[in-house]
Amino acid sequence: MAGALRVFVLLASLIVAGGVFVSAVHAQDPDSLSAIPDTSGLALDSLQVAADSGAVEVDSLAIVVDTLPRMASGVAPSYANGVWVWGRRALESTIAITLSELVDLVPGVMSLRGGDYGAPVGASAFGLGGGRVRVVWDGFEWVALDGAVPDLSRIGLAGLDEVRVERHPGELLIEIRSMEPTLPEPTTTVHVGTGDLGTNVLRGIFAHPNALGGALTFALDRVDTRGPGLNAAGALSGMSLRYALHWGERGGIVAEVRQLTPKTDLTEFTSDIKRNDWNLRGRWRLAEGLIGEVLWGASSLSADVIDPVVGLIDARRSQVGFRTSYERGGLWGRGSAHMFSGDGLQDWTTELAAGHSLPQALSVDGSLRMERWEGVGASSWRVRAVSRALAGVSLFASYEDGTRGAPYVPEFEQYLRSFFPVAPMSPSAVVPLERPAARFTTITGLRAGATLALGSAKVSGAHVITESDTFRPLGLPLDRGGPVLDGGKLSGYEFVASVPLPVGGFGVNGSFQQWDQESPYLPKRSWEGAATYHGLFKETENLEVWGTVGVTGRDSMPLPIFSVEGDPTSALARAPILRYWFAFVQVRVVTVSLFVRWENLTGKPDNFDYPDRLQPRFRTLYGVRWTMNN
């Protein structure tokens, strides 16, 4: 462990040194500041992200940091809307280390883990399966290359500025926005941690507002562990580089490259498969409140060892698209169109969404999505309304209906491999598989409920009904090859509560879901609760403390895989009852934060989501998060 710490300290020092070097080069350019126009002010020690631009008073001169115009996000985050958002400050103080752990914090959402760090991870809510979990990253559809949904094990939190999760009865949508420089000085953020089971964390972010004439952001992310029993090692490593050219507040062009690589010693999973993404986009303010964006991106998987068969397959998938948004007063609208190339994905998609907030009345919004798969069209839509509070009571309801397709990239590549002989010069060994075809699922969903607010305390409840014609597995290595099951109708209730305690800074919150029957990835009951503390001290608010002690759990649930591998006559496998206690403490002094995280405090041995995919029985993780102005 001492050797790992020395490596982390060395890497962190290199990041800081790089920031100082670039800062020194920038300081030798006397014309670099004069070329920046004036705009509004932003305090030097502020972590708040400006929507369009940031500025700071230095020697009575306003130094402006240009950023891309901010596109309309849609409805505001709330339980009634089914939307949760983490901004930059929240991401710097969360217990989560990876995106899958962050999504797991949303009530009613479960991350489905294949093991410790490095193993595949899916997610589900309301029992959603293949094609119903989407990740949109800076406007790009982060297409699924590992299954019918994106593999969340690949995404850490380094270089992210905002994560937005929309939980609908028919879809779980995760929207990610990348970090861009917002302060006039280069900044470096280092997140270093270590703990039990040989677990180590390194996250480094360097942001420069004026490097080589543009804005530069570099992010490095790595989490590694020896795993449960110290014999199931795994790692998640990622790198991203972002460069942007701006034309004042009007718009700019951004080029990005990312490489994300999970590794695991578990023999059941193919390891060390890199995902590479290249993106180019241009965004412009077309008129007051109206913003347009064009984009191109490509994604592929690659391995260190080149497979002679895989090497003959073009695994790259690309997309081109256009996005636009309008926001004026309480009215907003968004539209997008994407075209995709590469088998196993949709041909194109079009989405339209709009909403309006009426003061002292209600907010309403709706969306329409159309898609085409191999010449077959499908569409889905939803509407939602939330009333203003009257005597502390607010009502809300949403309804959705429609058909969606599910990616089948792994199945198509398996089909292509079947044309190649298993051994060289053995044409008799060639047994081509049947060409896979597009597959669709139709779901209708209703969610209606109310929120009661008494001062700062809030209690909400909702009745949820979903009905589908089929259930498709997530298609990740965890359940790949699992059966497509008949759908059905599910009815349930959910409740969430947040209550501050009389003692300043303390509070309790929790959630509970109850369904009339269990279903794949949907236990009859699930719950979570926590006692929390948050305090700000000193007039400067340079001392901040967070604390959480909580539990999350669920009943046993069926999985879309057979209990006896390869035997379609056997019953479905089951995940055991989960009961997981955790704790987290973080203390911030100015821009330095110390944190400690405890996992599975009771040491329950069978907290796993798939048979024999063991999780750590107990682990303590501690470290430091430090943001520096270079």
Side-chain angles (χ1 to χ4, degrees), residues 531-616:
T532 63
Y533 175 78
H534 179 226
L536 277 170
F537 304 93
K538 306 294 185 182
E539 293 182 359
T540 58
E541 297 185 348
N542 280 335
L543 177 61
E544 192 169 12
V545 179
W546 297 264
T548 301
V549 177
V551 61
T552 181
R554 55 161 169 76
D555 290 342
S556 174
M557 65 179 179
L559 303 170
I561 53 178
F562 295 117
S563 56
V564 179
E565 187 175 356
D567 182 3
T569 64
S570 64
L572 294 180
R574 299 188 66 87
I577 296 173
L578 181 141
R579 191 174 298 108
Y580 181 89
W581 286 85
F582 60 91
F584 176 72
V585 175
Q586 178 167 305
V587 179
R588 177 183 64 85
V589 180
V590 191
T591 61
V592 179
S593 296
L594 304 176
F595 69 90
V596 184
R597 186 176 97 162
W598 294 272
E599 303 175 19
N600 197 18
L601 289 170
T602 61
K604 189 173 183 292
D606 59 347
N607 278 332
F608 52 83
D609 303 319
Y610 292 88
D612 302 323
R613 309 297 186 205
L614 296 181
Q615 302 297 316

Side-chain angles (χ1 to χ4, degrees), residues 244-373:
L245 292 173
H246 297 97
W247 282 267
E249 297 182 358
R250 294 173 296 173
I253 298 175
V254 181
E256 297 165 299
V257 59
R258 303 187 189 95
Q259 186 176 90
L260 308 170
T261 311
K263 300 180 180 181
T264 179
D265 284 352
L266 298 175
T267 57
E268 301 89 343
F269 304 129
T270 304
S271 185
D272 201 18
I273 302 296
K274 299 180 177 66
R275 172 164 178 146
N276 305 286
D277 293 273
W278 309 267
N279 300 326
L280 182 66
R281 55 196 172 101
R283 185 182 300 176
W284 203 261
R285 190 187 305 278
L286 304 175
E288 182 66 27
L290 180 62
I291 299 171
E293 182 177 56
V294 293
L295 47 87
W296 171 89
S299 306
S300 66
L301 297 178
S302 62
D304 289 337
V305 179
I306 299 178
D307 187 315
V309 175
V310 176
L312 298 174
I313 299 175
D314 183 8
R316 190 179 72 167
R317 305 295 190 273
S318 61
Q319 61 182 289
V320 294
F322 171 76
R323 293 200 304 160
T324 185
S325 75
Y326 178 79
E327 194 168 19
R328 196 71 179 268
L331 178 66
W332 63 269
R334 299 195 302 177
S336 66
H338 291 78
M339 295 184 63
F340 301 85
S341 67
D343 294 294
L345 296 176
Q346 60 268 46
D347 302 325
W348 55 261
T349 62
T350 301
E351 293 187 77
L352 299 172
H356 188 47
S357 178
L358 303 174
Q360 307 304 320
L362 78 164
S363 64
V364 294
D365 70 281
S367 65
L368 172 66
R369 176 182 171 90
M370 295 176 289
E371 53 191 68
R372 183 169 291 274
W373 299 70

Side-chain angles (χ1 to χ4, degrees), residues 379-399:
S379 63
S380 57
W381 57 273
R382 73 170 57 100
V383 293
R384 176 173 45 193
V386 179
S387 73
R388 299 298 183 188
L390 179 62
V393 178
S394 173
L395 305 178
F396 57 87
S398 64
Y399 181 81

Side-chain angles (χ1 to χ4, degrees), residues 192-208:
V192 180
T194 189
D196 299 329
L197 306 180
T199 304
N200 298 296
V201 179
L202 172 64
R203 181 181 302 156
I205 307 166
F206 175 66
H208 199 303

Side-chain angles (χ1 to χ4, degrees), residues 110 125-127 490 513 515 517-524 557-558:
M110 295 184 299
F126 301 129
L490 297 168
Q513 280 193 345
W515 295 88
Q517 58 181 312
E518 64 181 11
S519 180
Y521 297 139
L522 187 67
K524 287 196 67 173
M557 65 179 179

